[in-house]
Amino acid sequence: LFGGAGMGTGYHIRRSGSRTVKVYDNSVKALYSGMELWANDGAAQMLVTGNSISFGEDVCPPLTTCTNSYAGIDVAEGNTFNQNSSIVNNSVGHTAEKMSHTGIRLQAADYWLVADNTVVLVNNPNNHNGILTTGCRYGQVSCNTIAGPGGDYSNPRQAAIRNAMGSDPMFVCNNVDRTTHGFLFGGAAYGTDLRGNHIRRHKHGLYLDNTAIIGTQTLKGNLWYNPPQTLGGWGAYYVNALNAGSNPFYINPAMIGMGNTQPPSWWPGNWFQPMAGTNFQCSGTEDYCDVFNGMGGEGGMEQLDLLIAGDSLAGTPYLEETRWIMRGDLLRKLDARPALMDGQPGLLEFHAAMQGSTQAAFNQLDIVRSGMFELEDEVLAQLAANHEQAVALAVLVQQALGQLADSTLAVEQRAAILADLAGHQQQMATLAEADAAMLANAATARETIATEVDALNNGIAAAATIEANHQQVNTIRTATIGRDVDMFTPEQIAALYAIASQCPLAGGNAVYQARSLHALAVGAQVFDDEALCAAPEGGGKRLAATRAMNGVALMPNPAHAEVTLVLDKEYRAVLYVTVYDMVGHVALRATVPPGTTRHALDTSGLTPGAYSYHVQAPDVRPVGEGKLFIAR
């Protein structure tokens, strides 16, 4: 399938609940997205494998702001149980155009496996992501190879693998190289498992923005191979220094092959901490990359869980919406594994207190909704048997048609073949009728579940915007996909857009679900979360405080007798640097001359310990801030 003659998208597959869909061994060259897999919640199986895809060849005209963002493989769902769906062993290639955005993109998709794919970015300023997951739960991204061209690391939104919000994702044994960020995280992604990845040439090998929360990572065996490729880069960088201490990386420093479990540099200094023990390695008895092994979300208790249970999350990035999301995530974890509460009175009290909460109601609704597209085992077996029989009959039909082409057949022979052909066709029609009857019964059962979901949803007393978003998206999803309705009303489209255009940090994961439904209704549309989260109408007034300035850094950190202030650009005016101790006293003042991006500071007079620093312009406009650690 080639787009040179104007083909937009190679495959568009939607609403395959309860069905098996396999897309394999295709060669696709598309102007827009290569494959769109939308609203296939509850599919019996979705398999995308062995395809070669080039996408995003559409040209953005000069002097035009083009906001389309196409993907090689684009999955958009509604956080419905979908455990038998996978994207494996595909080759996805970006073009150099601005529209060639993301190689493999998953939105609000649960339980998907993305493994053994090769994604090649060819233009770092224009291509944004190799693999992007937004608002997904319990997925696994493993053993993929993502590489950019290198050279230009100026695109701050680019990453080989990027995750925004969702919960319980696994990123295992991936190989990333020559993109601005190797891994980029934003928002609360409770239960993240980041292990065994090979991180090579980047500005930042691992980057967590100021809103990112991925929890503690213990002896995960991620390997760094190269120093940062540009000035101001880090092997691992956490913008929110205060949060890094409560979500540490515990590592046993070691060389494994040519890679090091210790990043070449990291900030803040207390983020990576040494620990004795065995580092995870990708080779071994567990093969993460062939079959999804269900490890996502099965970790034990962590410090973050106890803070959530005790309502002890303080400061950014713990907005009230983030706390709401994470309380729901912890409750879902405890419901699934009650043994984790043994000997933990704080968790027992939390679990009891959460009963009757909106989070508990939405979690129960998700459980009920997950059965909407499930077919009974006997029905699945009969459908499979009917399919095999239909395939065999189709072969017989083709054989009969071939025999009829013989001009030497006698009248009696031709009549016999025609009788056999009619019999085969009648058997196929009977099988089709049986399948239709079983699916009709399934549709009736789905209607019953949809009615139950509506009752549960309508019974939730939603107060906050994040709760109202979930409730409204559930209402629209059940009225459309849940009842096999193809069309969306203008009122539904307007409501979806109102939620889809919110900042996800304020609106919750329902924002991603709304975007999936909105795309199904009117087509894909780009939502710029960086701009939405900064705008007042997107929640920017509350979120502005969480968006730390990251245009400055101190290196090395921890420091000894001298530290270098690194700026992301030259400033025309003098800058003022102030270093404070932990009780707020000024420990050091300095000025930075204009027109420089590096300036040395004498720290020999500072006693060992933790400090904060602020960089300001002459008009008191903040330029940057962060933490400084002195160690001797």
Side-chain angles (χ1 to χ4, degrees):
L1 302 174
F2 296 97
M7 185 197 74
T9 296
Y11 281 87
H12 181 90
I13 301 169
R14 61 167 64 193
R15 298 183 56 236
S16 298
S18 304
R19 294 169 175 82
T20 295
V21 178
K22 299 180 181 180
V23 187
Y24 58 92
D25 296 345
N26 298 280
S27 179
V28 176
K29 188 176 183 182
L31 288 172
Y32 310 141
S33 291
M35 297 181 179
E36 293 175 341
L37 313 176
W38 292 356
N40 296 297
D41 305 70
Q45 182 184 22
M46 291 290 297
L47 174 62
V48 182
T49 185
N51 301 284
S52 177
I53 300 171
S54 174
F55 71 99
E57 294 201 342
D58 196 21
V59 176
C60 181
L63 304 179
T64 301
T65 301
C66 295
T67 58
N68 302 73
S69 62
Y70 301 123
I73 301 172
D74 191 17
V75 177
E77 295 188 348
N79 293 126
T80 300
F81 185 79
N82 212 356
Q83 196 165 11
N84 199 18
S85 293
S86 56
I87 300 171
V88 295
N89 196 31
N90 300 280
S91 176
V92 181
H94 291 67
T95 69
E97 302 299 332
K98 291 182 180 180
M99 316 258 216
S100 189
H101 193 276
T102 297
I104 300 173
R105 178 168 57 201
L106 285 80
Q107 181 165 259
D110 288 5
Y111 291 96
W112 277 73
L113 169 67
V114 181
D116 292 307
N117 301 284
T118 299
V119 182
V120 178
L121 297 81
V122 298
N123 186 308
N124 277 355
N126 287 352
N127 306 152
H128 278 237
N129 305 291
I131 297 175
L132 171 65
T133 54
T134 60
C136 300
R137 302 184 302 189
Y138 305 107
Q140 182 183 155
V141 177
S142 58
C143 299
N144 302 283
T145 298
I146 302 103
D152 188 328
Y153 297 94
S154 62
N155 184 352
R157 301 184 181 187
Q158 187 200 44
I161 297 178
R162 182 171 184 173
N163 181 79
M165 299 180 61
S167 68
D168 299 286
M170 295 182 67
F171 301 95
V172 187
C173 302
N174 299 284
N175 197 326
V176 297
D177 195 11
R178 298 192 301 272
T179 53
T180 302
H181 305 101
F183 287 84
L184 174 58
F185 289 90
Y190 176 89
T192 296
D193 191 345
L194 184 69
R195 66 171 64 197
N197 298 287
H198 298 248
I199 303 170
R200 300 184 184 274
R201 291 162 287 187
H202 309 276
K203 179 178 181 180
H204 300 110
L206 170 63
Y207 187 94
L208 274 64
D209 74 15
N210 196 51
T211 68
I213 305 166
I214 65 171
T216 300
Q217 306 293 315
T218 303
L219 299 174
K220 295 300 178 69
N222 297 291
L223 300 177
W224 280 260
Y225 290 82
N226 303 92
Q229 298 299 290
T230 65
L231 182 67
W234 296 83
Y237 188 86
Y238 202 147
V239 176
N240 193 302
L242 296 176
N243 194 44
S246 58
N247 294 275
F249 265 68
Y250 291 112
I251 58 171
N252 185 351
M255 294 293 296
I256 300 177
M258 298 298 291
N260 196 333
T261 59
Q262 178 172 289
S265 59
W266 67 89
W267 191 92
N270 64 338
W271 187 19
F272 281 75
Q273 301 178 23
M275 171 185 280
T278 303
N279 292 305
F280 172 81
Q281 296 187 49
C282 294
S283 59
T285 58
E286 293 180 289
D287 191 343
Y288 289 91
C289 305
D290 288 342
V291 180
F292 181 72
N293 58 23
M295 285 187 60
E298 295 191 2
M301 283 295 104
E302 297 181 357
Q303 178 182 352
L304 181 61
D305 294 318
L306 300 177
L307 292 174
I308 296 169
D311 199 23
S312 301
L313 300 172
T316 60
Y318 299 111
L319 300 168
E320 181 51 41
E321 292 87 355
T322 303
R323 295 187 180 96
W324 188 93
I325 293 170
M326 298 181 74
R327 286 194 293 264
D329 290 336
L330 177 56
L331 178 62
R332 187 166 53 246
K333 180 178 181 178
L334 297 178
D335 283 342
R337 302 179 66 197
L340 293 173
M341 293 183 283
D342 293 346
Q344 296 283 352
L347 294 179
L348 287 167
E349 292 175 5
F350 166 82
H351 189 265
M354 289 295 290
Q355 304 308 306
S357 66
T358 55
Q359 292 97 322
F362 283 124
N363 286 352
Q364 178 60 30
L365 187 150
D366 282 347
I367 293 173
V368 175
R369 183 163 57 88
S370 68
M372 190 174 293
F373 294 99
E374 289 183 2
L375 297 178
E376 296 180 358
D377 291 341
E378 295 80 2
V379 175
L380 286 172
Q382 189 59 57
L383 287 171
N386 288 358
H387 175 72
E388 291 182 7
Q389 190 175 352
V391 169
L393 288 167
V395 172
L396 295 177
V397 167
Q398 290 299 318
Q399 291 175 349
L401 292 173
Q403 292 171 343
L404 289 173
D406 186 354
S407 59
T408 64
L409 288 174
V411 173
E412 295 81 2
Q413 291 175 313
R414 183 175 296 275
I417 295 172
L418 286 171
D420 289 340
L421 180 60
H424 300 329
Q425 292 173 329
Q426 180 57 50
Q427 286 181 278
M428 294 176 71
T430 300
L431 291 172
E433 290 174 1
D435 288 351
M438 285 186 285
L439 292 175
N441 290 334
T444 301
R446 185 159 61 250
E447 171 66 29
T448 301
I449 296 176
T451 301
E452 183 180 355
V453 169
D454 279 338
L456 290 171
N457 191 52
N458 294 334
I460 297 174
T465 299
I466 192 171
E467 298 170 342
N469 286 346
H470 279 275
Q471 191 173 46
Q472 191 162 26
V473 169
N474 284 333
T475 296
I476 297 173
R477 181 193 296 112
T478 307
T480 53
I481 297 173
R483 289 183 165 87
D484 291 327
V485 175
D486 291 318
M487 301 299 294
F488 291 77
T489 67
E491 292 77 16
Q492 290 172 334
I493 294 172
L496 289 171
Y497 183 78
I499 298 173
S501 58
Q502 293 178 23
C503 168
L505 297 170
N509 283 302
V511 172
Y512 297 115
Q513 297 177 14
R515 291 175 183 177
S516 294
L517 286 172
H518 189 264
L520 196 67
V522 302
Q525 183 169 342
V526 175
F527 295 92
D528 187 340
D529 286 337
E530 282 80 1
L532 290 172
C533 291
E537 61 270 20
K541 288 183 178 179
R542 293 195 60 247
L543 295 166
T546 73
R547 301 182 64 79
M549 298 147 293
N550 58 355
V552 300
L554 291 180
M555 301 176 63
N557 197 350
H560 299 280
E562 184 179 272
V563 67
T564 298
L565 175 69
V566 180
L567 303 170
D568 64 346
K569 64 181 180 180
E570 294 183 0
Y571 288 82
R572 297 180 180 179
V574 65
L575 299 180
Y576 299 96
V577 183
T578 307
V579 179
Y580 301 89
D581 62 21
M582 286 293 96
V583 294
H585 296 146
V586 175
L588 175 68
R589 294 186 190 274
T591 57
V592 180
T596 182
T597 58
R598 299 177 70 92
H599 185 72
L601 302 174
D602 182 4
T603 57
S604 60
L606 300 182
T607 58
Y611 298 81
S612 63
Y613 68 89
H614 300 264
V615 182
Q616 292 180 320
D619 58 1
V620 197
R621 176 174 52 87
V623 173
E625 61 186 11
K627 293 292 180 181
L628 169 65
F629 299 89
I630 301 296
R632 298 190 180 92

